[in-house]
Amino acid sequence: MDESKKLTKQTLSKGFWLAFCASALWGISGTVLQIVAKNLNIPAMWFIATRTTVAGIILLVVGLIVLPSKDFFAVFKNWKDLLTLVAFAIFGLLANMFTFFHAIKTGNSSTATILQYLSPLFIMVGAILFTKKKTSRVDVISFILALVGVVLMITRGDIGHLSIPLVSVLWGVGSGITAALYVVIPQSLIAKYHGILITGWGMLIAGIISNFFSPIWVNPPKMDTTSVLGIGTVILLGTVSAFLLMVLSTKYTTAAIISITDAVQPFTTLVLSIIFLHYVVNFAEIIGAIIVVLAIYVLNRYDTE
């Protein structure tokens, strides 16, 4: 029986809205992160160390409360799983937060979010290159659509000129690649352990590593109300709450339906950037964003090989 047929309409709807809210919170976080990265002069590594450490502790506390205590340290009992967890923390979480932060700092949150949103495309390319996956018609269509959409967004329709610095494009592509690693690396762990614990431990390990480079207690930046609210929003809403809602949604709905809600994140960031950050968008950029979202939707929905 098809997965969606096993679930009632009411249950599917509940899962959809949970995933919808999670993606919306990630979109809000992206907009707030632009304020933190560009306007508040918060050092990247100090911010990442704070974000990962605090979020990791909160997620682990939640896991300790809602999950069996015997599962809490289970991942540390297997060396292979532990090495995978560390790789997830470094090459997934830490690398993604670092590249995404700089993509926003050197460009803007809207374009950075769209470039990070390309992660399923990078997963597909990686599968073709490293697992000899056969290229399908869906792969080709998705790749061409995504390429056209990104070109429209970063040039705003003027093919001869970039609308953002090249370094921002490179950071954004880097965030897309590391977002792909963020998804792929922990898959075996999440299948074996609980997602809350894997992400919580991953965050905490990333935080410990970040503190070696920029201890959060050494020369912290001067904080005002805006700084505290901005950092708190990214940590509590865009990291902890969004992840918990997304994990909860997987209990009520299908992966195909969740993939539809992924589009909420870039559009939330785009709309909020226009309203609150006075980001001026033109018709070509809007079309480009729609094409990218369509490309990733097609890839998520129909590439089943």
Side-chain angles (χ1 to χ4, degrees):
M1 184 181 294
D2 183 76
E3 181 185 4
S4 62
K5 292 180 180 179
K6 296 179 182 178
L7 300 170
T8 66
K9 184 176 181 181
Q10 183 178 7
T11 300
L12 286 170
S13 178
K14 182 177 181 179
F16 171 84
W17 285 111
L18 286 169
F20 183 98
C21 291
S23 292
L25 288 178
W26 275 317
I28 293 170
S29 175
T31 308
V32 175
L33 187 55
Q34 178 165 333
I35 298 174
V36 174
K38 302 190 74 167
N39 300 344
L40 300 180
N41 197 31
I42 303 294
M45 284 307 299
W46 184 91
F47 171 75
I48 293 170
T50 302
R51 179 182 182 181
T52 51
T53 302
V54 175
I57 291 172
I58 294 174
L59 286 172
L60 288 174
V61 169
V62 172
L64 192 60
I65 294 172
V66 302
L67 299 173
S69 58
K70 63 182 178 62
D71 296 339
F72 194 70
F73 294 106
V75 69
F76 292 92
K77 298 177 182 179
N78 184 304
W79 278 105
K80 183 179 178 180
D81 291 345
L82 179 57
L83 289 175
T84 303
L85 178 63
V86 173
F88 168 55
I90 297 174
F91 302 109
L93 291 168
L94 186 56
N96 179 250
M97 289 185 184
F98 188 81
T99 52
F100 189 58
F101 185 96
H102 283 285
I104 292 177
K105 188 176 182 66
T106 56
N108 61 72
S109 58
S110 178
T111 306
T113 302
I114 284 290
L115 290 172
Q116 180 176 253
Y117 186 67
L118 293 174
S119 57
L121 198 66
F122 292 117
I123 294 174
M124 176 205 67
V125 173
I128 292 172
L129 292 176
F130 299 111
T131 67
K132 308 303 181 182
K133 173 182 178 291
K134 183 180 178 181
T135 305
S136 68
R137 184 178 301 176
V138 169
D139 295 337
V140 175
I141 293 172
S142 300
F143 186 85
I144 293 173
L145 283 174
L147 185 61
V148 171
V150 168
V151 169
L152 284 175
M153 284 208 67
I154 66 177
T155 64
R156 308 190 79 177
D158 184 358
I159 305 300
H161 298 86
L162 291 175
S163 62
I164 57 174
L166 177 60
V167 66
S168 179
V169 177
L170 296 176
W171 280 120
V173 171
S175 73
I177 294 173
T178 53
L181 295 175
Y182 172 95
V183 172
V184 172
I185 293 175
Q187 282 185 348
S188 62
L189 299 180
I190 292 175
K192 189 174 181 180
Y193 309 99
H194 199 283
I196 292 177
L197 292 178
I198 294 303
T199 303
W201 283 120
M203 287 279 185
L204 187 58
I205 291 171
I208 292 171
I209 294 171
S210 300
N211 274 284
F212 279 105
F213 296 95
S214 180
I216 60 179
W217 59 87
V218 177
N219 298 321
K222 293 182 178 180
M223 306 290 286
D224 56 18
T225 302
T226 303
S227 302
V228 173
L229 288 176
I231 294 172
T233 298
V234 173
I235 293 174
L236 297 178
L237 294 185
T239 308
V240 176
S241 298
F243 174 77
L244 291 176
L245 286 173
M246 188 58 73
V247 168
L248 189 59
S249 74
T250 61
K251 295 183 178 181
Y252 298 103
T253 191
T254 65
I257 292 177
I258 289 175
S259 71
I260 298 173
T261 68
D262 288 345
V264 174
Q265 180 184 354
F267 278 116
T268 300
T269 301
L270 179 61
V271 171
L272 292 180
S273 295
I274 294 171
I275 296 174
F276 296 106
L277 302 180
H278 310 295
Y279 179 67
V280 179
V281 63
N282 67 6
F283 182 72
E285 195 170 4
I286 293 174
I287 295 299
I290 293 173
I291 291 174
V292 169
V293 170
L294 177 63
I296 302 304
Y297 170 74
V298 168
L299 185 63
N300 283 331
R301 183 66 180 86
Y302 298 106
D303 189 5
T304 58
E305 293 188 12

